Amino acid sequence: MKRKLLLSLALFGALSTSAQQPDISPLPQQAVWKEYAFSNASQYQLIGGAKADADAVSLLKRNVKIANGPKSIPITIGEVSDKALKKYIEKVPDHKEGYFLKITPKEVIIAGHDGKGTYYGVQTFLQIVRQNKVMQVEIHDWPSVECRGVIEGFYGNPWSHEDRLRQFDFYGKQKMNTYVYGPKDDPYHRKHWREPYPEDEAAKLKELVECARKNKVQFVWAVHPGGDIQWNLEDSMAVCNKLEAMYKLGVRSFAVFFDDISGEGSKGDKQAGLLNYVTDNFVRKHKDVEPLIMCPTQYNKSWAKGDYLTTLGEMMYPEIRIMWTGNSVVDMIEMNDMEWINGQIKRKAFIWLNYPVNDYCQSRLLMGKTYGNGLDINNMVSGFCANPMEYAEASKVSLYSIADYTWNMPQYDALSSWKRSFTYLMPTASTAFSLFCNNNIDLGKTGHGLRREGESEDFIQMDDAEKVMYFIDMQQSANQLLADSVNHPEMIAEIKPWVESMSLLGQRGQAVWEMNAALVDGDSITFIGKYKAQAAMERKQKTLISRNYEGSIVKAKPVVSGDVITPWINDNVTNLIVEYKKQYTYGIDVFPVQNIEDGVYFIKVNGEYLTDAEASADRVGDFPVFQEKRDKTNPQRQEWLIEYEPLTGRYKITNVQDGRYLNEMGSFWRDKELNPYEANWHTFVLTKQNGKWSIQCAGNAGNKFLSRNGNRIGNNDNEQFIFEIVKN
């Protein structure tokens, strides 16, 4: 009996020290795991630190205990050329930024092909020693793509200074080496590109450049001169002068953008001439400046016409990298895409991936898995950067996977990477965060056409009883996330409106279930009570606004599970009301009478689109205009949210791009302090006849009808059925 117990203990000991492969991100190219090495509380002796990459050594010293005691485990660190690592030369991958990492009970070896390789070897070592048990391992690792990272190139509220500092720390840990600075709403990047940054803004940029450098991130500053550039020597010199000013702030990599423009600035031969001039007169005069990156005007295949792309390919110096978004503005990238564009531009394209950016579907957070890009294109791209959401922390769900994908493309697993991101980003609330992400995946219907699969997938598969539990889980998970704000304040602050919406959605789902039970039981009083509670929660949902602060460029109204759970609840409420009315008259006056359902619409007259031409949440005194064509760059400027207002029984009409409401004059607010939204002034009666609608003022605004007046809306006394209100 005693012998059997000893055998069992021996077996347990063997199992407890067997190979345990920790989660490492990005996934290494080659890793061989063995048995237990040593405790994660060990201390270390540093060998070779004087000659190794300074950032790598500093990172190591900040995160492990360095001591020269007899029990200290030696860490030999450095680049492949260092004498201390001479015997490991053949072990180090012959790739830029590659490294060899070896952990045994007696020593640790961190050998980089170059300084960045050593730094990335340290990052991997730190991930391993944070595990409960440090396991023996040999790792040979290197990146699939040379330039990997992020381009801050979205419309809307730019990231804050603090957002960017946190991003660089994240990029360093995830082995992303490129950040392109190009927020559309930075005036000194675009509108006032010739002007230098004010002193305080310049100081912040200098701090960002230094922080990026310490995390081995190349800070690429982009200038966007195409909107008003003159093709003359003066403006060519102005571009060089602006880049020189940024060089003095520490920037060593630059881009020139010509995206989303038309007219004179969009000429390919002129753009090529300018880029060559800047290369000759700025880049080549500095030995430490990287070749330029340019974003062309025709940056996707659907916009390609004439000889624009071939002109760039033939005229522009071959070292200049050219950005590309794919077959359309928003697209995933595959082998045939790369074969086509590389043939046009005579070089490897630099990918600008427009995901998870949501500036064209601002009501949705894109928290789903990152999939659809080819696993065999690493040798066909000169770089691969993702354009994120204006929500910097929330974007990390996808950026975590972008790092995985670009580091080890052939072995990338979208689902596995997505699931690992939950624990990495929200370790104390990963299950609740997983549920949140699963209900914030799809973009809905947009002008760009991209859809994402898997939103609320579990809910779709469930039977009725399971759905009730799912609604309870939504509410409880939302509460857990909101309570976790102490541990993850930046993430929770960003996603809070959507988390609150998820909680209300869960409560509404439970109320719908209770309405159904009351109807089955013949309890009309409970039915009406639960309906009122559900309606109150729906109204509260509609009051939620993201970025609702002074100076916000875009204010979004959160949508959670917009194509699964939200319509499920709305449809069931409608059906339950229909069934209730067949049996009862008690309380039916509380039900809304809607002749158009809440949703996003185009408003057209004679086929022309009502457009928020000067979209900006802070603008006052301007008005929407009619435009003949769909806006392919900012489609939300032509999208209008029409919502039933229970207080008036009429409809509020707001622009999706910036959230400004349409007032009784057919304009936007004249003064946001003196003329804020008031339901009794700013809601309309919508009436349909022969397929077209009239829009009538009501309440305090009188009873005039909106009409067309030139290229804008006016009003008069005559009812006019002229508006085409078309569901998006």
Side-chain angles (χ1 to χ4, degrees):
M1 194 71 176
K2 186 175 181 181
R3 183 184 176 92
K4 287 184 179 179
L5 178 60
L6 288 172
L7 286 172
S8 297
L9 288 172
L11 180 60
F12 176 80
L15 289 171
S16 67
T17 59
S18 63
Q20 298 177 24
Q21 180 176 334
D23 286 335
I24 295 177
S25 58
L27 185 70
Q29 300 280 352
Q30 299 173 5
V32 178
W33 297 92
K34 299 180 182 178
E35 291 76 21
Y36 173 81
F38 47 75
S39 165
N40 63 3
S42 299
Q43 58 188 29
Y44 305 91
Q45 177 186 359
L46 197 58
I47 300 171
K51 292 187 177 181
D53 179 81
D55 294 323
V57 173
S58 176
L59 176 67
L60 188 62
K61 288 181 176 180
R62 291 197 307 270
N63 288 278
V64 300
K65 187 175 181 180
I66 304 296
N68 293 323
K71 294 185 178 180
S72 296
I73 299 167
I75 297 179
T76 305
I77 185 173
E79 288 71 70
V80 69
S81 57
D82 295 349
K83 186 180 292 186
L85 293 163
K86 186 175 181 180
K87 65 179 181 179
Y88 296 103
I89 289 177
E90 294 184 1
K91 295 277 190 178
V92 179
D94 189 20
H95 295 269
K96 281 184 177 180
E97 302 181 359
Y99 66 90
F100 168 68
L101 171 63
K102 182 178 181 180
I103 299 175
T104 73
K106 294 183 178 180
E107 67 175 351
V108 175
I109 306 297
I110 304 174
H113 178 273
D114 45 37
K116 282 188 176 181
T118 306
Y119 180 84
Y120 293 145
V122 171
Q123 290 286 16
T124 298
F125 174 69
L126 293 177
Q127 289 190 50
I128 295 171
V129 298
R130 291 189 187 107
Q131 308 293 320
N132 291 330
K133 294 181 179 179
V134 180
M135 309 308 295
Q136 297 185 59
V137 69
E138 278 198 21
I139 294 177
H140 300 78
D141 203 10
W142 63 90
S144 291
V145 177
E146 182 176 350
C147 294
R148 315 167 301 280
V150 174
I151 172 166
E152 187 183 342
F154 50 81
Y155 292 88
N157 298 294
W159 284 346
S160 71
H161 186 66
E162 292 72 23
D163 285 337
R164 293 171 183 139
L165 292 173
R166 288 193 300 273
Q167 287 282 313
F168 296 150
D169 180 66
F170 174 74
Y171 301 163
K173 291 175 180 176
Q174 298 305 308
K175 303 183 178 73
M176 291 195 283
N177 64 2
T178 303
Y179 164 78
V180 183
Y181 178 94
K184 293 291 190 289
D185 290 288
D186 174 357
Y188 301 99
H189 154 74
R190 193 176 190 194
K191 188 174 182 180
H192 302 303
W193 63 269
R194 296 176 184 83
E195 301 174 23
Y197 279 95
E199 189 173 331
D200 58 336
E201 293 296 318
K204 288 181 179 178
L205 282 168
K206 187 174 183 179
E207 183 183 359
L208 290 176
V209 172
E210 180 60 20
C211 179
R213 186 197 64 76
K214 289 179 179 178
N215 286 281
K216 300 302 184 188
V217 176
Q218 184 73 259
F219 186 105
V220 183
W221 187 83
V223 64
H224 196 306
D228 64 354
I229 192 168
Q230 303 298 308
W231 300 117
N232 55 36
L233 180 60
E234 182 180 359
D235 262 5
S236 297
M237 292 175 63
V239 172
C240 290
N241 291 339
K242 186 62 174 278
L243 301 191
E244 188 67 47
M246 302 310 298
Y247 181 89
K248 291 177 181 177
L249 296 179
V251 180
R252 294 296 181 267
S253 190
F254 299 87
V256 184
F257 287 179
F258 294 100
D259 56 317
D260 300 345
I261 60 170
S262 59
E264 187 68 20
S266 63
K267 293 183 176 179
D269 58 336
K270 299 294 186 181
Q271 293 173 2
L274 174 66
L275 270 291
N276 290 346
Y277 177 89
V278 174
T279 298
D280 287 335
N281 293 277
F282 172 73
V283 176
R284 292 177 179 172
K285 290 186 177 181
H286 295 285
K287 294 181 180 180
D288 55 350
V289 170
E290 297 290 320
L292 291 170
I293 302 170
M294 77 95 71
C295 182
T297 305
Q298 296 178 24
Y299 54 77
N300 67 85
K301 190 175 182 180
S302 68
W303 290 4
K305 57 184 179 180
D307 61 355
Y308 174 86
L309 291 171
T310 54
T311 295
L312 293 183
E314 292 167 0
M315 287 186 60
M316 211 153 55
Y317 292 151
E319 70 264 32
I320 299 171
R321 294 161 288 179
I322 300 176
M323 289 180 145
W324 188 249
T325 69
N327 286 329
S328 57
V329 177
V330 182
D331 188 29
M332 299 298 154
I333 312 298
E334 297 185 283
M335 174 68 78
N336 57 352
D337 306 330
M338 298 310 306
E339 290 173 342
W340 187 86
I341 183 56
N342 289 354
Q344 298 288 310
I345 61 177
K346 308 291 190 297
R347 69 201 73 200
K348 297 177 181 180
F350 191 110
I351 298 304
W352 172 326
L353 184 74
N354 271 322
Y355 186 85
V357 63
N358 70 335
D359 56 6
Y360 62 100
C361 56
Q362 292 148 344
S363 63
R364 313 279 185 120
L365 287 183
L366 305 187
M367 309 293 281
K369 64 182 179 181
T370 301
Y371 67 94
N373 296 300
L375 305 183
D376 54 358
I377 63 171
N378 51 299
N379 293 321
M380 303 191 73
V381 301
S382 59
F384 197 108
C385 285
N387 191 13
M389 298 180 280
E390 70 171 69
Y391 303 93
E393 296 298 314
S395 295
K396 288 179 180 177
V397 170
S398 180
L399 298 183
Y400 179 95
S401 292
I402 290 294
D404 250 355
Y405 171 75
T406 54
W407 182 268
N408 189 349
M409 192 178 290
Q411 298 184 58
Y412 174 69
D413 184 313
L415 181 60
S416 172
S417 183
W418 183 46
K419 289 181 176 179
R420 282 188 280 114
S421 74
F422 305 150
T423 302
Y424 181 87
L425 295 169
M426 296 287 287
T428 60
S430 59
T431 302
F433 189 57
S434 171
L435 183 68
F436 176 79
C437 291
N438 272 276
N439 283 289
N440 289 276
I441 292 177
D442 193 30
L443 302 78
K445 187 177 180 181
T446 72
H448 291 307
L450 182 71
R451 302 301 293 265
R452 298 280 85 180
E453 65 184 28
E455 184 167 274
S456 312
E457 194 167 42
D458 290 344
F459 182 86
I460 296 170
Q461 310 292 334
M462 289 175 174
D463 60 31
D464 290 345
E466 291 172 324
K467 283 184 168 68
V468 180
M469 296 307 300
Y470 194 89
F471 288 131
I472 294 172
D473 199 12
M474 289 181 78
Q475 182 184 359
Q476 292 178 345
S477 294
N479 292 342
Q480 183 183 352
L481 289 171
L482 294 172
D484 202 53
S485 60
V486 174
N487 296 315
H488 307 91
E490 294 86 11
M491 175 72 82
I492 299 302
E494 284 189 352
I495 67 176
K496 184 178 179 181
W498 282 267
V499 175
E500 292 176 335
S501 185
M502 185 173 85
S503 176
L504 289 165
L505 205 60
Q507 294 174 65
R508 287 179 63 200
Q510 294 170 61
V512 169
W513 207 257
E514 290 164 340
M515 287 169 62
N516 182 72
L519 191 60
V520 171
D521 293 341
D523 186 349
S524 61
I525 294 176
T526 298
F527 183 95
I528 294 298
K530 293 300 180 183
Y531 168 77
K532 287 181 177 179
Q534 187 279 144
M537 287 182 278
E538 183 182 17
R539 289 195 295 272
K540 188 174 181 181
Q541 260 190 297
K542 290 180 177 180
T543 66
L544 295 173
I545 301 175
S546 175
R547 307 291 186 176
N548 192 21
Y549 55 78
E550 186 69 23
S552 174
I553 295 171
V554 172
K555 299 181 180 183
K557 304 194 77 170
V559 170
V560 175
S561 191
D563 291 276
V564 180
I565 295 179
T566 294
W568 186 94
I569 290 175
N570 293 339
D571 290 347
N572 276 275
V573 169
T574 299
N575 293 335
L576 285 168
I577 290 173
V578 170
E579 291 302 314
Y580 181 88
K581 287 181 176 180
K582 291 178 181 178
Q583 303 177 45
Y584 303 99
T585 58
Y586 168 73
I588 62 172
D589 57 323
V590 303
F591 301 139
V593 179
Q594 290 189 232
N595 50 14
I596 187 170
E597 64 178 282
D598 288 8
V600 176
Y601 295 83
F602 299 119
I603 300 176
K604 302 165 69 177
V605 173
N606 296 329
E608 295 187 357
Y609 295 85
L610 188 64
T611 304
D612 186 354
E614 302 291 338
S616 170
D618 279 341
R619 285 184 63 87
V620 297
D622 62 314
F623 48 84
V625 297
F626 289 97
Q627 291 186 357
E628 181 180 352
K629 296 181 179 179
R630 283 285 282 125
D631 189 322
K632 294 182 179 179
T633 303
N634 287 313
Q636 289 188 138
R637 297 195 309 159
Q638 294 174 332
E639 296 173 1
W640 300 86
L641 178 62
I642 298 179
E643 297 176 286
Y644 181 78
E645 174 57 76
L647 294 175
T648 64
R650 301 188 293 270
Y651 295 87
K652 179 182 180 182
I653 303 173
T654 56
N655 182 257
V656 173
Q657 175 75 12
D658 59 24
R660 292 189 294 173
Y661 65 85
L662 198 65
N663 70 16
E664 72 279 9
M665 304 301 294
S667 302
F668 296 119
W669 53 29
R670 294 178 179 176
D671 185 300
K672 58 188 175 182
E673 300 298 331
L674 301 177
N675 187 218
Y677 171 75
E678 291 184 45
N680 207 33
W681 274 91
H682 305 126
T683 54
F684 301 92
V685 176
L686 303 184
T687 307
K688 190 175 184 181
Q689 180 176 297
N690 297 326
K692 293 189 177 181
W693 296 81
S694 67
I695 303 177
Q696 184 182 21
C697 302
N700 293 350
N703 58 4
K704 288 183 179 292
F705 293 87
L706 297 189
S707 60
R708 180 163 183 170
N709 184 5
N711 75 331
R712 57 166 294 186
I713 290 178
N715 62 33
N716 59 44
D717 294 324
N718 301 315
E719 184 168 17
Q720 297 184 351
F721 290 91
I722 61 170
F723 295 98
E724 304 161 55
I725 300 181
V726 183
K727 190 75 179 285
N728 182 11

